[in-house]
Amino acid sequence: MKIAIVCYPTFGGSGVVATELGISLSKRGHEIHFVTYKQPVRLEYLSHNIKYHEVIVPEYPLFHYQPYELALSSKLVTVVKEHQIDLLHVHYAIPHAYAGFMAQQMLKAEGIELPMMTTLHGTDITLVGSHSFYKPAVNFSINQSNVVTSVSESLRQDTLAIFDINKDIHVVPNFIDFENLPKNVGDCQRDLMAEEDEKIITHVSNLRPVKRIDDMIQVFDKIQQKIKAKLIIIGDGPERENASKLAHKLGIRDRVMFLGKSNEIEKILCYSDLFLLPSEKESFGLAALEAMAYGVPVISTNVGGVPEVNRHGESGYLSDLGDIDDMANNAVKILSDPEQLVQFKMRARQIALEFDMQRIVPLYEKLYQSMLTKNS
Ligand code: GMT
């Protein structure tokens, strides 16, 4: 199949999933065309069956806001015609489903059918999309999509509760490419980061308010009062400054490392003992799944789709939002008992294997096939 994928090319989870999906589909013989404003960060190479088409939005002084949706839908029409694309898969409803719908309509006027799948990722539904500024357009474009998927059952339920949806939403969970995980975890350079008797606790996100970074610093503060530990934060975003100030105020700034954005998360996860995810909302929690794939237990909130990934008492523990004491107690429970830590690490990896790319990507392929059959 020839598939056009639209996504955010940045470090956010939806862009990562879209990119990994495209790469995997290309390895399975499909021709993939990424259409977005920048080459996706995880797309390190292009090949004969992975192409990238840049959406350019020229600055024009009359426009206060540059019309990205217009440029994207025009680019889609061009790419679809030039490369005889079979179907369009947009990740994150805003504004991609809307632009995709416009492209479909323009192509239809020329007698070309382009079925569209929309994958809902989370904040496009629970935070941004539900805002009255966008809601009618988001509701409309979800309903106009030929197939709609969500990354968790929880997000499916939220979408049905928030919007007026008149079609099925298929749950296709996010995944991990186990085949390409660096095999030799023994190469981990743990000693560069921490002392032998020190536990390494990790967090990866775009440090937005929804990730509750302050809660995380407080949880870590409580942990390090009982266990010698270091907190490594990967990613960058608006909460970084506040988090740094809070760590300073609590007198633990020297135990908290901010490493910024990274494409080599695995180098840190491979020697991490625990992963913290105290988010306020999380439709899935891809970062937690990535940690579990490296055998890192997760201490998280029980919000959204996180319980579908992190299993209480098995791969880690779940706490109510904002329950800093409970998260800290659970972390100490795991970290202070070496035998238990090993058990949790093993179980975390086992559960992550349920989300192996080899099991999940065929689910998308099956849905693509159904879209083409319906269209023929
Ligand atoms: O929340 C983020 O970090 C980014 C955001 C995105 O769309 O890039 O993540 C959402 O999609 C991810 C991939 O499906 C999910 O793993 C995240 O849970 C989800 N974030 C939220 O729901 C807050």
Side-chain angles (χ1 to χ4, degrees):
M1 282 178 240
K2 292 185 176 187
I3 304 164
I5 295 182
V6 174
C7 64
Y8 283 103
T10 50
F11 279 92
S14 62
V16 167
V17 169
T19 310
E20 299 284 358
L21 174 63
I23 294 170
S24 167
L25 289 165
S26 76
K27 288 182 186 157
R28 297 167 77 92
H30 303 286
E31 186 177 302
I32 303 302
H33 295 256
F34 285 98
V35 185
T36 181
Y37 58 85
K38 214 175 88 192
Q39 182 160 325
V41 285
R42 287 231 183 151
L43 185 63
E44 279 157 14
Y45 66 94
L46 298 170
S47 65
H48 71 283
N49 62 351
I50 302 195
K51 312 235 178 320
Y52 158 61
H53 308 271
E54 186 179 355
V55 179
I56 297 168
V57 192
E59 291 276 327
Y60 185 63
L62 185 68
F63 298 150
H64 184 62
Y65 302 105
Q66 308 303 319
Y68 179 67
E69 290 89 316
L70 216 63
L72 173 59
S73 53
S74 295
K75 187 75 185 179
L76 281 170
V77 168
T78 311
V79 171
V80 168
K81 289 203 301 198
E82 244 175 58
H83 298 273
Q84 292 86 47
I85 300 294
D86 297 311
L87 62 89
L88 171 63
H89 187 171
V90 303
H91 288 260
Y92 207 91
I94 307 170
H96 300 149
Y98 193 73
F101 170 73
M102 288 313 298
Q104 267 187 327
Q105 295 308 302
M106 286 185 267
L107 289 160
K108 203 177 200 161
E110 296 186 40
I112 302 169
E113 287 295 330
L114 179 72
M116 172 170 78
M117 175 186 287
T118 297
T119 291
L120 310 172
H121 277 274
T123 46
D124 46 350
I125 297 301
T126 55
L127 212 66
V128 195
S130 51
H131 199 289
S132 57
F133 292 154
Y134 301 120
K135 200 172 172 183
V138 175
N139 202 125
F140 172 80
S141 40
I142 292 175
N143 279 336
Q144 294 302 316
S145 309
N146 300 73
V147 170
V148 181
T149 72
S150 76
V151 297
S152 64
E153 176 56 30
S154 153
L155 182 59
R156 189 180 89 89
Q157 297 295 344
D158 283 346
T159 311
L160 295 174
I162 297 169
F163 294 97
D164 188 10
I165 300 300
N166 60 20
K167 56 184 359 121
D168 284 349
I169 300 177
H170 304 264
V171 176
V172 181
N174 291 330
F175 49 81
I176 292 286
D177 182 3
F178 274 94
E179 223 174 76
N180 285 312
L181 283 194
K183 303 260 179 311
N184 193 355
V185 176
D187 278 351
C188 265
Q189 298 192 310
R190 183 191 170 101
D191 49 346
L192 293 181
M193 281 296 176
E195 288 161 41
E196 216 168 295
D197 60 343
E198 197 172 34
K199 297 289 184 226
I200 300 181
I201 301 175
T202 305
H203 171 81
V204 182
S205 83
N206 41 29
L207 309 189
R208 286 176 299 147
V210 75
K211 302 290 174 183
R212 300 277 283 231
I213 305 302
D214 274 13
D215 284 6
M216 187 175 63
I217 300 288
Q218 291 180 65
V219 171
F220 173 70
D221 180 34
K222 288 181 186 293
I223 300 171
Q224 65 83 41
Q225 288 171 25
K226 301 239 168 80
I227 286 175
K228 190 170 170 189
K230 180 165 273 165
L231 175 63
I232 299 181
I233 300 177
I234 305 161
D236 206 354
E239 291 299 295
R240 179 175 174 159
E241 191 63 29
N242 282 346
S244 172
K245 278 188 191 149
L246 179 59
H248 188 76
K249 200 171 130 199
L250 294 169
I252 52 169
R253 183 61 188 85
D254 60 333
R255 313 215 60 77
V256 181
M257 294 171 75
F258 290 90
L259 297 190
K261 289 178 183 168
S262 169
N263 239 347
E264 295 183 318
I265 293 166
E266 69 279 358
K267 293 207 170 135
I268 290 143
L269 288 178
C270 74
Y271 51 63
S272 298
D273 296 297
L274 205 64
F275 189 86
L276 291 182
L277 191 69
S279 303
E280 183 180 328
K281 287 181 195 297
E282 205 69 70
S283 70
F284 183 87
L286 182 64
L289 178 62
E290 289 189 328
M292 285 162 57
Y294 283 92
V296 184
V298 174
I299 295 295
S300 69
T301 44
N302 54 14
V303 300
V306 181
E308 294 171 48
V309 181
N310 181 23
R311 314 260 164 84
H312 192 69
E314 293 184 64
S315 55
Y317 286 107
L318 298 151
S319 304
D320 290 341
L321 173 63
D323 197 339
I324 289 159
D325 286 332
D326 195 50
M327 287 187 259
N329 289 340
N330 288 334
V332 170
K333 202 155 57 182
I334 296 183
L335 291 176
S336 54
D337 178 346
E339 261 174 44
Q340 240 202 113
L341 181 57
V342 171
Q343 283 303 315
F344 272 90
K345 284 185 176 207
M346 264 168 44
R347 193 68 189 115
R349 184 162 162 99
Q350 265 173 6
I351 292 172
L353 276 164
E354 293 173 21
F355 299 87
D356 187 352
M357 180 185 256
Q358 303 301 331
R359 301 166 85 150
I360 310 296
V361 174
L363 303 178
Y364 278 118
E365 278 175 314
K366 212 167 149 198
L367 288 169
Y368 294 156
Q369 206 59 59
S370 76
M371 290 160 73
L372 294 182
T373 322
K374 264 183 214 145
N375 247 38
S376 59

